[in-house]
Amino acid sequence: MTKNIKYTWILSLLILFSSCSKLDLKPTDTIDAEKAYRNMNDINLGLTGVYAQLDYALVGINAIISDEVMLPAENTVSNTDAHRWLYTADNGSVTAPYYSYYVAIDRTNRVLAGLDKITVAAADVATRDRYRGELLALRAFCHFELLRMYGSAYQSGALGVPYMKASVISYPARDRFEVVAADAKADLLAAKALIPSSFDDKTRVTKIAVSAMQARLALYEKNWTEAITYASEVISSMPLATADQFPDIWTDANDQEVIWKLKRVGDDEKIGDLFYRQASKIVLYAPSFKLINSFDQVNDIRYKAYIKFDNTRGEKKSAYLVNKYPGTALAPGLADIKMFRTGEMYLIKAEAEAESTGDAAGDLNALRAARIKDYVPVVFAGKDDLINAVYTERFKELAFEGHRFFDLKRRNLPVQRLPEDAINTSGAIRLLPTQAQYSLPIPALEISVNKNTVQNPNY
């Protein structure tokens, strides 16, 4: 053994023994809950960080891959693979929310862990409990949104997503649909008991917002009794906006019938830019003619609130624009994101009634009467007629709010675009439930790193 090799070998042993003697030290690149969360103010900051992580990704995905929008020729600046159904597991336009929602979930679990470790004064117990309720509700909400996006189907036995109840480094397998639904229901029940009825900040999760989450979850479970119960709780507490109030919801001039919204304040949070690029005046995605034609354009107050017609934009420019998030003159396109509204609750209740009691006409007609001038109530021929009418109304009422693609998937229906809505999509007119893209892919990186997960069918 040469002199240099011998010294190198001895030095290596010293380093090894030194390292082994320090394995009980806490890592220096993380902050444990005891240090990060020391008081109620820290907890509130962490909770605010969870809300801040949520965005309008679901609005964009539902519009772009469904039949809500069409691709105008003027859009030569954005990635249109998602609209053409060319996405794969490597396509960030459909896989990015997988990571962003799990970041929100991880933040939630870290704050919950911190909350468990702090001691609060008697005067702060109610606030502590409310924070816990908000966190549990947010954890349920995020997992359910992931399930809507990445679940292989909305039925028992179908591949869902991992339900993470703690911030740990692991290789979680995909929980089945019914497991995710059950865990989310448990978190929502616990949350509801912790949030006081007097708490009414619509930019945060309130008790009535938990009821709205429960109603939506029950709808996807096909638990018609719970869907009716929870939707009714919301309807009785939060009336529909009047015809005069409704258009102002989308400019944030009022928040009538808004149950929960995400407050948007900065230029990088402009939901209007999803459809219309303000700086360059380019329509990225225009309302589909299928959607436009579904409205009574004269009497339905939703038409002008959702869709703008401007035939002065010039040749080869779309005359139709999404008008649902116009913002203000000082901040065009900047508007709060409406997560739950009473209008959705009427439709949840109507669908659940149509599927169970058969008595959906009253709720459906009540919603239409609030939206359509001089509306005459309709008598429906039977269950199928009622359910088809509910889905048509969801198409109109909830346009550009993050539901259309999921609604079609709930009924195992194809995405069917009109020929005039597909002139720039290279023939992407019909997406069948048997095609891979009918379910969004789990990100390729997740598949390659997590040895216990699997991809959705056909990818």
Side-chain angles (χ1 to χ4, degrees):
M1 182 180 293
T2 66
K3 186 177 180 180
N4 287 340
I5 293 176
K6 183 171 85 170
Y7 285 141
T8 301
W9 180 73
I10 292 171
L11 180 61
S12 297
L13 285 175
L14 289 172
I15 293 172
L16 175 62
F17 290 135
S18 175
S19 298
C20 289
S21 69
K22 295 181 179 179
L23 288 177
D24 60 339
L25 295 179
K26 292 183 178 180
T28 59
D29 59 346
T30 62
I31 302 175
D32 64 36
E34 294 175 2
K35 293 180 179 178
Y37 302 106
R38 298 162 297 179
N39 51 53
M40 293 293 285
N41 184 61
D42 290 342
I43 296 296
N44 190 43
L45 288 173
L47 177 52
T48 301
V50 178
Y51 284 109
Q53 181 65 20
L54 305 179
D55 59 19
Y56 53 74
L58 288 179
V59 174
I61 285 176
N62 265 274
I64 291 168
I65 66 178
S66 74
D67 51 2
E68 278 188 345
V69 298
M70 58 90 67
L71 178 64
E74 65 187 280
N75 181 5
T76 60
V77 298
S78 67
N79 184 345
T80 59
D81 282 353
H83 187 63
R84 301 174 195 271
W85 304 321
L86 299 176
Y87 43 86
T88 66
D90 292 307
N91 193 304
S93 62
V94 294
T95 60
Y98 188 89
Y99 295 114
S100 64
Y101 272 85
Y102 272 117
V103 167
I105 290 166
D106 188 67
R107 290 181 181 180
T108 301
N109 286 329
R110 288 174 183 270
V111 182
L112 282 168
L115 191 58
D116 287 337
K117 294 180 182 299
I118 66 171
T119 302
V120 301
D124 292 328
V125 169
T127 302
R128 179 201 63 188
D129 290 348
R130 173 168 63 80
Y131 287 167
R132 188 185 301 279
E134 288 181 70
L135 289 161
L136 290 172
L138 286 167
R139 185 167 73 182
F141 170 79
C142 289
H143 280 103
F144 179 53
E145 294 302 85
L146 284 165
L147 184 63
R148 292 209 297 166
M149 282 186 283
Y150 299 103
S152 62
Y154 306 142
Q155 61 190 35
S156 293
L159 288 168
V161 295
Y163 204 100
M164 304 300 294
K165 298 179 182 179
S167 178
V168 294
I169 297 174
S170 62
Y171 300 96
R174 296 177 66 177
D175 289 320
R176 300 289 174 174
F177 173 87
E178 65 272 20
V179 173
V180 179
D183 284 342
K185 288 174 72 171
D187 274 346
L188 289 172
L189 280 172
K192 202 170 189 178
L194 293 166
I195 302 173
S197 300
S198 58
F199 180 63
D200 60 0
D201 184 349
K202 292 184 178 183
T203 66
R204 300 177 71 145
V205 177
T206 61
K207 186 184 286 288
I208 201 65
V210 175
S211 293
M213 293 178 187
Q214 290 173 307
R216 186 185 290 177
L217 175 55
L219 181 72
Y220 278 71
E221 283 189 293
K222 298 181 175 62
N223 187 329
W224 310 126
T225 300
E226 288 189 0
I228 293 169
T229 296
Y230 294 131
S232 297
E233 288 178 3
V234 180
I235 290 169
S236 63
S237 299
M238 193 81 63
L240 290 168
T242 65
D244 290 334
Q245 293 168 336
F246 187 80
D248 290 337
I249 292 173
W250 311 104
T251 62
D252 297 329
N254 71 56
D255 57 7
Q256 295 297 319
E257 85 168 64
V258 175
I259 301 162
W260 177 35
K261 63 180 183 178
L262 299 180
K263 189 68 179 176
R264 303 292 93 169
V265 295
D267 285 344
D268 59 340
E269 297 179 323
K270 288 183 175 181
I271 187 171
D273 287 352
L274 175 66
F275 302 108
Y276 177 61
R277 188 162 292 182
Q278 299 283 342
S280 54
K281 303 296 183 183
I282 294 174
V283 172
L284 300 176
Y285 291 97
S288 68
F289 288 105
K290 184 175 184 178
L291 178 63
I292 291 168
N293 296 341
S294 70
F295 286 102
D296 176 342
Q297 297 180 18
V298 176
N299 296 309
D300 196 324
I301 62 172
R302 294 171 295 192
Y303 178 70
K304 289 185 178 179
Y306 294 0
I307 296 167
K308 180 179 180 180
F309 178 72
D310 181 0
N311 60 359
T312 68
R313 297 191 66 242
E315 188 179 359
K316 297 183 179 179
K317 300 283 188 178
S318 175
Y320 291 96
L321 297 82
V322 174
N323 194 44
K324 198 163 191 175
Y325 309 97
T328 64
L330 294 176
L334 183 63
D336 296 341
I337 303 170
K338 316 309 185 282
M339 306 298 279
F340 288 88
R341 291 190 297 110
T342 308
E344 180 191 354
M345 298 298 112
Y346 271 83
L347 291 166
I348 288 175
K349 187 166 179 273
E351 183 174 346
E353 288 167 339
E355 291 283 7
S356 55
T357 67
D359 184 28
D363 288 302
L364 184 56
N365 281 324
L367 177 64
R368 287 178 171 176
R371 306 295 192 234
I372 302 171
K373 182 182 178 182
D374 298 327
Y375 175 73
V376 177
V378 175
V379 177
F380 298 93
K383 175 181 175 180
D384 290 343
D385 194 23
L386 256 175
I387 291 175
N388 287 335
V390 169
Y391 271 75
T392 297
E393 210 62 34
R394 288 182 67 92
F395 187 37
K396 294 185 288 184
E397 175 73 19
L398 303 176
F400 318 122
E401 290 184 59
H403 296 280
R404 177 58 175 175
F405 179 69
F406 301 152
D407 280 346
L408 294 172
K409 187 174 177 179
R410 282 197 298 116
R411 297 197 72 197
N412 206 37
L413 294 173
V415 179
Q416 182 68 59
R417 294 168 177 162
L418 297 179
E420 55 266 42
D421 288 326
I423 56 174
N424 298 313
T425 62
S426 304
I429 294 179
R430 186 176 174 87
L431 178 66
L432 297 171
T434 53
Q435 294 176 257
Q437 286 70 24
Y438 196 76
S439 295
L440 300 184
I442 304 298
L445 181 60
E446 181 70 15
I447 297 294
S448 66
V449 171
N450 185 350
K451 59 187 177 182
N452 292 324
T453 198
V454 293
Q455 184 56 272
N456 277 326
N458 301 319
Y459 279 97

